[in-house]
Amino acid sequence: MIDFKDSRFIITDKKSTSMVHKNISGMLIDDEQVVEFYIADRFPVPSEVLFTSKRIIICTFEEPDFPIFTFLPYSKFIAFSVKNSNDDTMENELELYNYYVDKIAFEFPGKYNLNLIIKLIGNSII
């Protein structure tokens, strides 16, 4: 399970949304699409982070045969903060806040454009 007291994910790679596992595709709700698909390092286990049109899905591989799925609906966040740079040498950050898990953060080292993710979250929080 995700320890939300230490909820920082460091994105290491971006993957094509066509590479999403069948397990996750089967969990999508009506009219939900995977928009961004990332690999994250989160000591001690790697994770997959998917930003869909409705929520964030985090798949953690503590045991390879038994992934753990965490679902974070955008509509449950009350605020978010973004550092979105176009400079390859700077990291981009996304911090999301809600009443239940306090804060969850994603670091995007290098050049990542977070505009689409910002729109998805912004449309749900308003």
Side-chain angles (χ1 to χ4, degrees), residues 56-86:
I56 300 168
I57 301 173
I58 300 170
C59 179
T60 305
F61 296 96
E62 291 181 16
E63 295 180 37
D65 294 336
F66 300 103
I68 298 169
F69 297 95
T70 303
F71 302 90
L72 303 166
Y74 299 138
S75 61
K76 300 300 179 188
F77 291 105
I78 56 172
F80 67 104
S81 173
V82 178
K83 180 169 76 173
N84 194 19
S85 170
N86 289 326

Side-chain angles (χ1 to χ4, degrees), residues 5-59:
K5 293 177 183 154
D6 182 25
S7 57
R8 181 166 294 276
F9 294 86
I10 300 171
I11 302 300
T12 58
D13 195 15
K14 182 175 182 178
K15 298 289 186 184
S16 168
T17 56
S18 65
M19 297 177 69
V20 172
H21 294 281
K22 292 178 185 176
N23 298 10
I24 295 174
S25 297
M27 295 180 192
L28 298 178
I29 57 178
D30 294 341
D31 299 326
E32 184 178 24
Q33 298 174 355
V34 175
V35 177
E36 298 282 354
F37 177 29
Y38 297 101
I39 304 299
D41 269 344
R42 185 160 188 275
F43 183 79
V45 294
S47 298
E48 293 180 348
V49 178
L50 294 94
F51 290 87
T52 76
S53 53
K54 299 187 181 284
R55 57 193 170 165
I56 300 168
I57 301 173
I58 300 170
C59 179

